[in-house]
Amino acid sequence: MTTILLATGNRAKQTKLRWLIDGLGFDVVTPRDLGLDFDPPEHGETHGEVAAAKARAWAEHSGQLVIASDGGAYIPALGQDWNSIFTKRAAGSDADDHDRADHLLALMAGEQGANRDISWIEGVGLARPGEELGMWQASGAIGRLVELYDPARIKDGFWFPALIVVPRFGKLVADLTPEETAQLDDGWNGLYPDVRRFLERLTARPG
C-alpha cells in the first residue's frame, strides 16, 4: 500500500484532503504521525502553484508522496485591495482565526447586498521526492459574507465557513450537513473528480 502524507497540521484541511483521496487505497499519514514539524515558505502566483510548491517542499523534507492544498477568498468588491493568495496572511503574520475574521469584516464594512458576495478558490498539489506530479485549481460561487459572526462557530482551523451564508440553503457554510456540503459550488468539489482520476491512474501504474 502506498503511503501519502497530508501536508498540513490543520485538522480541518486534513479532513478535506482525506476526503479527496478516501477509498483509493492509500496509507494516509499526517506530519504528526511522522514526527515532523515543517512550515515551508509559500510562493506562487496562483493557489495551484502555491499548493504544488508546498507539496514539493514537503516531499523533499519527508521523503514521502505528498498532497498539499492552498486556498483563498475571491472578493470582487475589494478589487485590488484584496489578493486571495494572501487570505490567511491579510490580517498579519501573527493573526489567529478570529483576527482574520475581524479584519475581513472591517474591510467589507459598508458593503451591502451582492457586494458582499464571495467565492473560494482552492488549489491542490501532488509531489514525491524530486518530482512534481500534479497541480489543480478550482473555484466556485459560495455565498455572502455576514455582517456579524459568532466567534464560537470558528473552530478546528477553519474560520471562513463561519462567515459565509449560502443563499440556496439559508445557512452558514459551517452549519451545512454533509449532504449539503456535497452540493456546494466551491473549489473543493470542483477539484474532486480531476484529483481522484489522476490518483487512480497513479496507483494503477506498476511500481
Side-chain angles (χ1 to χ4, degrees):
M1 182 180 292
T2 302
T3 298
I4 188 168
L5 171 66
L6 310 181
T8 177
N10 181 305
R11 288 183 296 170
K13 286 190 175 183
Q14 288 175 0
T15 298
K16 285 292 190 180
L17 290 171
R18 284 182 188 273
W19 170 73
L20 279 182
I21 62 180
D22 185 45
L24 296 180
F26 289 101
D27 177 21
V28 180
V29 296
T30 68
R32 184 175 181 178
D33 294 332
L34 301 181
L36 299 177
D37 184 10
F38 182 54
D39 187 19
E42 298 185 5
H43 56 86
E45 296 184 2
T46 69
H47 292 286
E49 290 176 0
V50 174
K54 288 181 183 179
R56 292 194 305 269
W58 271 101
E60 294 304 322
H61 185 74
S62 67
Q64 302 290 335
L65 173 67
V66 169
I67 187 169
S69 69
D70 185 78
Y74 173 60
I75 310 175
L78 293 179
Q80 295 186 1
D81 292 332
W82 181 267
N83 184 337
S84 67
I85 294 292
F86 302 112
T87 296
K88 183 179 179 180
R89 291 165 281 171
S93 58
D94 296 326
D96 63 17
D97 286 341
H98 294 92
D99 295 330
R100 295 179 183 108
D102 293 339
H103 178 72
L104 177 53
L105 291 186
L107 287 177
M108 291 288 281
E111 299 290 352
Q112 298 293 323
N115 280 352
R116 299 186 73 82
D117 285 352
I118 290 179
S119 62
W120 188 262
I121 306 170
E122 195 68 40
V124 165
L126 187 73
R128 56 191 172 199
E131 183 181 11
E132 179 182 317
L133 297 171
M135 175 181 68
W136 303 266
Q137 179 172 299
S139 63
I142 293 183
R144 188 159 292 181
L145 182 71
V146 300
E147 295 189 33
L148 297 171
Y149 74 98
D150 178 1
R153 304 300 295 128
I154 294 179
K155 56 186 178 180
D156 295 334
F158 266 13
W159 57 278
F160 193 75
L163 305 182
I164 304 298
V165 171
V166 183
R168 65 183 294 195
F169 299 120
K171 55 184 172 180
L172 293 169
V173 174
D175 294 332
L176 297 180
T177 66
E179 292 76 19
E180 290 166 341
T181 299
Q183 300 174 50
L184 192 62
D185 180 15
D186 73 345
W188 286 103
N189 283 333
L191 289 168
Y192 185 86
D194 290 338
V195 174
R196 287 182 68 86
R197 275 195 296 269
F198 182 89
L199 287 170
E200 286 168 353
R201 293 196 299 269
L202 182 68
T203 55
R205 295 175 191 170

